[in-house]
Amino acid sequence: DTGVSQDPRHKITKRGQNVTFRCDPISEHNRLYWYRQTLGQGPEFLTYFQNEAQLEKSRLLSDRFSAERPKGSFSTLEIQRTEQGDSAMYLCASGGSWNQPQHFGDGTRLSIL
Amino acid sequence: GIQVEQSPPDLILQEGANSTLRCNFSDSVNNLQWFHQNPWGQLINLFYIPSGTKQNGRLSATTVATERYSLLYISSSQTTDSGVYFCAVERENSNYQLIWGAGTKLIIKP
């Protein structure tokens, strides 16, 4: 069990640029989640995958956001035309069967200049 | 939607003190997790506790699902316990997404 891995750890970019983050879940986990956390707040749910199927998306996920999980393994979260308000920590979590906890990666901290 | 409230919002203690953190939730939940977010932003699983009591070293947790609350106990606090403690619940009839409280910020002074 190597844990949930996220890349990069930090991303600084100019407003208007596109960014992509990667998450590698724990290998046997079929559930994968993306959350966003802003300073001083708890994380907020963005989207959920069961294997390769994206089953739920939050209203927080605007049209500029897209997530994929090809082949049900790693996942990517892309933000197009970044805005100042996108600055946050983006967290990925994975889980096994329904009665098991979610395990979180160390997150990708995005800063928009 | 379901509401998750944590108290107190902030707590400052001397090393060696004991503390109790509370999490109230407004509706029935499938499960509940406690996390510690350290100063580097890492979220560490502490307990996965839908009901009952669990202990892990100096930490223990109790969830009373019928009364919709959970408590996290920290005994003999150490400076490394500093950080933010989050409670998160899984809504019933959901894809097990977590709904989070605002956290309790704990500072342990040496």
Side-chain angles (χ1 to χ4, degrees), chain A residues 33 35 37 56 99 102-103, chain B residues 33 37 95-98:
Chain A
Y33 302 82
Y35 293 86
Q37 186 179 23
E56 190 166 354
N99 61 348
Q102 293 182 28
H103 296 268
Chain B
Q33 287 184 247
Q37 189 164 43
N95 287 312
Y96 315 114
Q97 61 170 272
L98 292 173

Side-chain angles (χ1 to χ4, degrees), chain B residues 48-106:
Chain B
Y48 183 71
I49 183 166
S51 63
T53 297
K54 292 186 178 180
Q55 179 151 11
N56 184 3
R58 296 181 295 104
L59 273 61
S60 65
T62 295
T63 297
V64 184
T66 53
E67 297 186 22
R68 300 180 184 167
Y69 74 89
S70 184
L71 301 173
L72 178 68
Y73 306 96
I74 305 174
S75 64
S76 305
S77 300
Q78 300 176 359
T79 55
T80 52
D81 294 332
S82 296
V84 183
Y85 289 81
F86 287 105
C87 163
V89 302
E90 292 177 0
R91 291 186 301 125
E92 282 190 341
N93 303 316
S94 74
N95 287 312
Y96 315 114
Q97 61 170 272
L98 292 173
I99 308 298
W100 298 72
T104 292
K105 184 175 182 179
L106 177 64

Side-chain angles (χ1 to χ4, degrees), chain A residues 61-73:
Chain A
L61 216 63
S62 76
D63 291 344
R64 297 184 298 106
F65 287 71
S66 62
E68 295 182 342
R69 193 184 182 195
K71 302 178 183 178
S73 55

Side-chain angles (χ1 to χ4, degrees), chain A residues 30-35 44-62 65-69 75 77 102, chain B residues 2 30 89-99:
Chain A
N30 55 10
R31 295 184 286 138
L32 188 146
Y33 302 82
W34 286 97
Y35 293 86
E44 295 174 296
F45 168 78
L46 291 179
T47 191
Y48 163 67
F49 288 86
Q50 173 120 3
N51 299 312
E52 69 276 10
Q54 188 174 19
L55 296 186
E56 190 166 354
K57 293 196 297 184
S58 164
R59 284 171 290 181
L60 294 174
L61 216 63
S62 76
F65 287 71
S66 62
E68 295 182 342
R69 193 184 182 195
S75 176
L77 178 67
Q102 293 182 28
Chain B
I2 191 169
N30 285 331
V89 302
E90 292 177 0
R91 291 186 301 125
E92 282 190 341
N93 303 316
S94 74
N95 287 312
Y96 315 114
Q97 61 170 272
L98 292 173
I99 308 298

